[in-house]
Amino acid sequence: MAKRSGKEPLREEEKRKLTKDNLRKLAVIFRFMAPYRWIFALGLLALFLSSSTLLIFPRLAGELVDVANGKSNYFTSITQLGLALLLVLVVQGIFSFVRVYTFAIVTEKGLATLRKTLFSKLVWLPLTFYDQRRTGELMSRISSDVTVLNDLFSITLAEFFRQIVMLIGGSVIIAVLSPKLTVFMLLIFPIIVVLGIVFGKFIRKTSSKSQDKLASANVIVEESLQSVTAVKSFTNEQFEIGRYVKMLDEAVKVSISSARYRAIFISFLITIVMGGIVAIACYGASLVQSGDLKSGQLFSFVLYTAIIGISVAGLGDIFGQIQKSIGASERVLDILDENDEQSSLQHIPLEGKITFNNVSFIYPTRQDHPVLKELNFSISPGEKIALVGPSGSGKSTITNLLMRFYPVQQGQILVDNIAIQEYNLSGYRQNIGIVPQEVLLFGGSIAENIAYGKPDASIEQIREAARKANALEFIESFPDKFETLVGERGVKLSGGQRQRVAIARAILKDPAILILDEATSSLDAQSEVLVQQALEKLMEGRTTIIIAHRLSTIKKVDRIFVIKEGRLAETGSHAELTQVEGGIYSNLLKLQLQ
Ligand SMILES: Nc1ncnc2c1ncn2[C@@H]1O[C@H](COP(=O)(O)OP(=O)(O)OP(=O)(O)O)[C@@H](O)[C@H]1O
């Protein structure tokens, strides 16, 4: 979702009705602010006082007119009144400062707790959750939705209370000032307000359409910039510009047509509001003429009417914002309510015996597509096996289940003769190291990236791991050595270098079980040799499962499991399987050799 400021129109789908249930959702979010409730209460008090002080202002301004006419009951000189006004302003300023500052403290601290809770929830959520959500959508939970809630607690709620104080206080004061004029005003203003609300709703709908068009245009910018290399390599610069211009032109068309309605709305509103005020002023003037009202009182009255008008107009927007915040809190709570896999870390020393007993598996998001079918095999501690088979046959799924990324639905996976779900999750996963096909590094230094396998590792241990991973030489050749920053996702390192950093990571982690997902794209011969040597060192003494693509690795393993359509089709050593006439493995081999 494109980032939008609070001033932009609300989308209908972002709003929720102000029901009791929905307001309860906001109350749940408010719990994050509970530790700061006393500061919040102080803010509310300051808000009440600053609004009340502000309400004195029009009254004093009216007195100013009466003092000038020599008709004031309270003040003898303009200077005296000027000082009183100054005092009101200063007091009001102090209360406003306290209000804004305290609300900011409560909101910032409370919402930082919410953000932290949300992020830790997200990282603890299982992969089954991620299969159903898009990353962009989750990002906007932490950014846009929490920002909407931030606005609610820091601005909207304060505005809401302020407008209410203004509305009620202002109405009481004008009723006391001149009951007659108040009744006259009440006959006019509600009609203006209703017209304003109805028209305003219509305008919001049309500008929401133009926002959507603009958002679509922004998607093109995002896509083109993200894949700028693809755009350039296909020499599609002109094509992308064309797409953008077309979409933007449509957005402009819709915006201008919506601006026409907005212009009518604004001119209508100004005319009718001013007309109302003029009508009140005229009637008020006639009251002054007949001696029912002092001119200063009329002046105050008109100012109060304007304040009440502004409050009523503001309330509509505030309700919209509250409805939008309920939508945001609902989405945030949805995530907080998910079941996560959080577990404290227990150290479990494993030997690395792996057994699959009749394991069948279907991904929860693709119920109609059985992936693994009654798989049976056993791997001894320290044994090295390769998973071989056509794309989509289920090789990665086997390792996903072993990592407990997904729960097994049928059959059992045992490690050291105990069903894997019996182990403490983090303790269990600590025993498994992965060197993935596509190594993505974090944006820090090389040292930090290697230490990802063991965050408390000393620099000597990091160095030793880099040495074993054949990475020391290239790291030392950089001017900043281990402190070299690898760039976003490790872009500053070559494929082979990234692989060796990943191997060093795994060496440092020192797991009993190792999963190697061989890179499909080949490295240059020299890098290949260095990576292979490093991998062999890494594999020593560990149970290893290799998702294999290359002959050179397959030949060296103890056993090869040929997977076909989720079943174990053939098992044996390279030498054994090549002997099988018409076998899947021997056919694959022939293909590769060709
Ligand atoms: N997260 C997922 N959600 C739903 N289906 C999935 C998921 N991951 C894989 N699959 C499906 O499961 C089947 C097996 O996929 P898997 O990744 O295990 O195959 P593979 O043998 O490792 O393939 P490759 O060699 O191409 O990596 C495929 O049909 C794939 O579309």
Side-chain angles (χ1 to χ4, degrees), residues 32-41 105-107 109-111 113:
F32 285 91
M33 257 121 336
Y36 318 104
R37 57 186 171 279
W38 294 115
I39 307 179
F40 190 71
I105 292 177
V106 175
T107 314
K109 290 197 170 177
L111 289 178
T113 318

Side-chain angles (χ1 to χ4, degrees), residues 378-570:
S378 188
I379 308 170
S380 316
E383 196 182 3
K384 282 148 202 56
I385 67 111
L387 295 176
V388 179
S391 174
S393 55
K395 303 180 296 287
S396 307
T397 306
I398 293 174
T399 58
N400 283 346
L401 293 187
L402 186 63
M403 281 300 286
R404 282 174 67 185
F405 286 156
Y406 299 89
V408 177
Q409 295 137 348
Q410 240 185 65
Q412 258 192 335
I413 301 176
L414 311 172
V415 166
D416 291 1
N417 301 319
I418 295 175
I420 53 174
Q421 65 272 18
E422 303 294 325
Y423 292 110
N424 162 277
L425 181 65
S426 298
Y428 171 74
R429 281 193 188 147
Q430 274 224 321
N431 280 283
I432 306 178
I434 297 189
V435 179
Q437 200 172 69
E438 187 65 30
V439 181
L440 285 184
L441 302 180
F442 292 89
S445 66
I446 292 183
E448 282 165 347
N449 267 290
I450 296 178
Y452 204 72
K454 190 182 176 197
D456 56 356
S458 66
I459 183 71
E460 285 74 35
Q461 288 173 314
I462 294 173
R463 233 185 114 77
E464 181 55 17
R467 194 186 59 75
K468 283 188 184 156
N470 277 346
L472 196 57
E473 201 178 323
F474 85 79
I475 296 172
E476 304 257 89
S477 73
F478 294 145
D480 291 333
K481 305 199 169 15
F482 276 90
E483 291 314 310
T484 308
L485 298 176
V486 299
E488 201 177 332
R489 295 168 172 217
V491 283
K492 289 188 192 161
L493 299 186
S494 74
Q497 289 170 339
R498 278 206 295 270
Q499 285 268 335
R500 281 176 279 161
V501 169
I503 293 169
R505 238 183 213 177
I507 289 176
L508 205 53
K509 189 175 179 186
D510 192 21
I513 298 170
L514 193 64
I515 296 170
L516 302 180
D517 198 350
E518 258 189 2
T520 34
S521 55
S522 54
L523 304 168
D524 65 81
Q526 200 191 354
S527 281
E528 173 87 43
V529 170
L530 289 172
V531 169
Q532 273 309 323
Q533 284 174 348
L535 282 175
E536 271 157 35
K537 251 180 244 160
L538 173 62
M539 286 191 278
E540 271 166 29
R542 305 178 209 277
T543 311
T544 308
I545 299 180
I546 308 170
I547 300 179
H549 302 283
R550 280 186 227 131
L551 223 54
S552 54
T553 17
I554 304 173
K555 274 185 188 163
K556 288 182 189 159
V557 298
D558 300 317
R559 273 189 302 159
I560 296 162
F561 293 179
V562 182
I563 310 291
K564 194 183 171 200
E565 292 168 7
R567 289 181 205 277
L568 192 55
E570 292 171 9

Side-chain angles (χ1 to χ4, degrees), residues 43-60:
L44 273 184
L45 180 70
L47 171 67
F48 179 76
L49 293 175
S50 78
S51 313
S52 309
T53 329
L54 212 60
L55 272 177
I56 304 173
F57 202 66
R59 184 76 190 85
L60 289 183

Side-chain angles (χ1 to χ4, degrees), residues 148-187:
V148 169
L149 293 171
N150 195 331
D151 285 353
L152 173 77
F153 290 110
S154 61
I155 305 166
T156 317
L157 273 191
E159 278 299 302
F160 177 66
F161 289 124
R162 204 164 66 88
Q163 310 288 26
I164 294 287
V165 171
M166 292 296 201
L167 186 62
I168 297 175
S171 305
V172 170
I173 295 174
I174 58 166
V176 172
L177 268 178
S178 170
K180 270 189 198 168
L181 202 52
T182 305
V183 171
F184 182 76
M185 187 206 87
L186 286 178
L187 289 177

Side-chain angles (χ1 to χ4, degrees), residues 8-24:
E8 284 164 24
L10 296 168
R11 282 155 200 259
E12 290 306 309
E13 73 269 14
E14 287 175 8
K15 291 197 204 169
R16 297 291 181 275
K17 289 220 167 75
L18 291 175
T19 60
K20 209 166 148 193
D21 253 4
N22 279 341
L23 287 173
R24 205 169 290 145

